[in-house]
Amino acid sequence: MTERELDPSTIVVSAGRPDATPGAPVNPPVVLSSTYVSTGTPSSDELLYTRWDTETWHPFEQAVAELERADLPGLVFSSGMAAISAVISLVPDGGTIVVPRHAYHATLILAEELAQRHGVTVRQVDVDDTEQVATAVVGADLVWIESPTNPMLEVADLPVIIEAAHAAGALVAVDNTFATPLVQRPLEFGADVVVHSVTKYLAGHSDVVLGLALTSDSALRERLWHHRTHHGAIAGPWEVWLALRGLRTLALRVERAQENARELALRLQSHANVVEVRHPSLPGDAGHEVATRIMRGYGSVIGLRPRGGATGADALIDALKVWIPATSLGGVESTLERRRRFTSESPTVPEDFIRMSVGIEHVEDLWADLAQGLDGL
Ligand SMILES: *Cc1c(COP(=O)(O)O)cnc(C)c1O
């Protein structure tokens, strides 16, 4: 008899717990020790020094690996950018990397740094234009995909792009922060590496900054481990414990936030003071067809362009009482910001573009707040 596979909504609750033996704690302990008792020639699986490895990371690294269907435990990092730095460093000097034009802005900064200091060619692509990406992957060492993208919410056709990249001999890494493993599992489409800003949905409460990289390839994992260990981008034990606690409710949070986002996107679309709404759930959205085919849901970030340009967008944000004006996303609380307030944001993101991270509040409270703000424009 084959064992029944657990649903992801059960895995988030059950993974990474100590064995259920009498007297065992239900939650894994936090171990605060920088070093371990050890003599002689160390064995390969022995804990020795906390920068190299520590048991407080393991339950979280194991739990997300189960969710992403990685054959090996993940590697937790001190931030999403630390994980991304490790993966991007796989590009050799003088090599070529393909990146989405609207990838997370700090990822684009890192790619630019590779270009300037290591002679790497950076090919920017519209990641929702599959043909364009399939052409750009030829001769690339690493194809970096983010989907949906932050902040423009373009949806990449992962199975097709990954196949094209592999046929061209390139590695593929996917930033799966916006989708979460409940909505999309890039390793199942053949991706070599998946990264997360754990800061966002996985931890989910806007109280920790953490990152994670996952792969089923042991040689790749070894290289990423080497980077984490020797560049020292390691996570503190308390933060990882908090991330695991946050992960327990991931399925409930994602389900509620996605429902809210879908309903709000629909209502926003028919408000007189709205110029444009982007959410892959909308049948007219450019990402709708691909998202429906490859994702289990549409995520809970909405792009909104209200009437009145950047001034209108700022006025709307100022008028809101339930929504919190703040950067970041993926927390239980609804937040929003006009992205171009950052000079580092891509100039192809419209000046009036508001990125809304929909939380788990009651949808009518979120809508009433938005409606009064929009009515006042
Ligand atoms: C926030 C974010 C990052 C960076 O993660 P940090 O935890 O802030 O370092 C990377 N990618 C995406 C898609 C993000 O939203």
Side-chain angles (χ1 to χ4, degrees):
M1 197 178 91
T2 53
E3 212 177 324
R4 190 176 172 280
E5 221 171 63
L6 296 177
D7 189 82
S9 62
T10 302
I11 294 173
V12 298
V13 176
S14 65
R17 293 198 187 270
D19 288 341
T21 53
V26 166
N27 293 303
V30 176
V31 175
L32 297 176
S33 187
S34 59
T35 188
Y36 295 82
V37 177
S38 170
T39 58
T41 307
S43 64
S44 62
D45 58 353
E46 191 180 339
L47 290 172
L48 295 159
Y49 184 56
T50 294
R51 178 159 47 75
W52 302 343
D53 196 14
T54 177
E55 64 265 60
T56 305
W57 296 339
H58 296 169
F60 183 70
E61 292 176 328
Q62 187 55 44
V64 185
E66 283 179 41
L67 290 171
E68 289 283 9
R69 307 264 168 89
D71 297 340
L72 302 167
L75 289 163
V76 69
F77 285 78
S78 51
S79 66
M81 286 318 300
I84 291 170
S85 298
V87 177
I88 269 192
S89 77
L90 296 170
V91 182
D93 286 8
T96 296
I97 181 173
V98 174
V99 290
R101 193 176 317 289
H102 297 125
Y104 183 65
H105 65 153
T107 304
L108 294 175
I109 290 169
L110 279 189
E112 199 40 48
E113 213 172 270
L114 279 185
Q116 280 167 17
R117 300 190 46 206
H118 299 278
V120 167
T121 302
V122 179
R123 289 186 192 151
Q124 289 204 357
V125 292
D126 298 306
V127 81
D128 57 354
D129 181 339
T130 307
E131 269 181 45
Q132 190 192 121
V133 181
T135 307
V137 301
V138 177
D141 297 282
L142 178 66
V143 177
W144 185 270
I145 307 286
E146 192 180 298
S147 184
T149 55
N150 181 0
M152 294 297 277
L153 300 169
E154 293 129 331
V155 179
D157 194 338
L158 289 178
V160 175
I161 291 174
I162 291 167
E163 200 185 327
H166 281 168
L171 277 179
V172 182
V174 179
D175 183 335
N176 203 29
T177 299
F178 266 42
T180 84
L182 298 183
V183 173
Q184 170 172 277
R185 290 195 290 264
L187 295 176
E188 290 191 330
F189 296 136
D192 301 287
V193 185
V194 166
V195 300
H196 282 280
S197 170
V198 173
T199 315
K200 314 293 170 52
Y201 293 99
L202 298 188
H205 294 73
S206 307
D207 51 10
V208 292
V209 173
L210 278 181
L212 192 76
L214 301 121
T215 176
S216 294
D217 179 319
S218 54
L220 265 181
R221 189 178 187 278
E222 186 63 27
R223 289 172 72 188
L224 298 173
W225 178 86
H226 178 96
H227 193 280
R228 177 179 78 176
T229 304
H230 301 108
H231 290 247
I234 62 154
W238 292 119
E239 284 75 10
V240 179
W241 187 87
L242 274 170
L244 183 66
R245 186 162 81 167
L247 191 76
R248 299 303 185 206
T249 55
L250 180 69
L252 282 175
R253 287 187 285 107
V254 165
E255 190 183 328
R256 171 66 169 250
Q258 287 199 134
E259 266 173 33
N260 283 354
R262 203 176 169 153
E263 179 63 25
L264 292 175
L266 262 181
R267 293 191 194 182
L268 283 168
Q269 205 178 28
S270 49
H271 195 286
N273 287 343
V274 166
V275 174
E276 190 186 0
V277 184
R278 295 197 188 189
H279 191 252
S281 69
L282 297 169
D285 191 89
H288 183 71
E289 184 272 316
V290 176
T292 303
R293 177 155 47 83
I294 70 170
M295 292 165 65
R296 279 173 237 89
Y298 301 99
S300 45
V301 176
I302 297 176
L304 173 66
R305 299 176 64 200
R307 200 153 89 172
T311 315
D314 287 339
L316 171 64
I317 290 168
D318 281 347
L320 300 184
K321 298 178 181 72
V322 177
W323 293 75
I324 301 171
T327 195
S328 196
L329 54 105
V332 291
E333 67 290 328
S334 293
T335 58
L336 81 180
E337 72 174 338
R338 187 172 68 80
R339 282 303 295 177
R340 286 290 298 283
R341 70 197 183 99
F342 296 113
T343 52
S344 57
E345 186 56 271
S346 166
T348 49
V349 174
E351 272 285 359
D352 55 1
F353 185 95
I354 299 176
R355 185 185 67 192
M356 309 170 69
S357 171
V358 180
I360 65 170
E361 301 92 335
H362 198 289
V363 68
E364 296 301 340
D365 291 325
L366 294 175
W367 173 247
D369 198 27
L370 283 173
Q372 64 81 23
L374 284 166
D375 291 346
L377 288 184

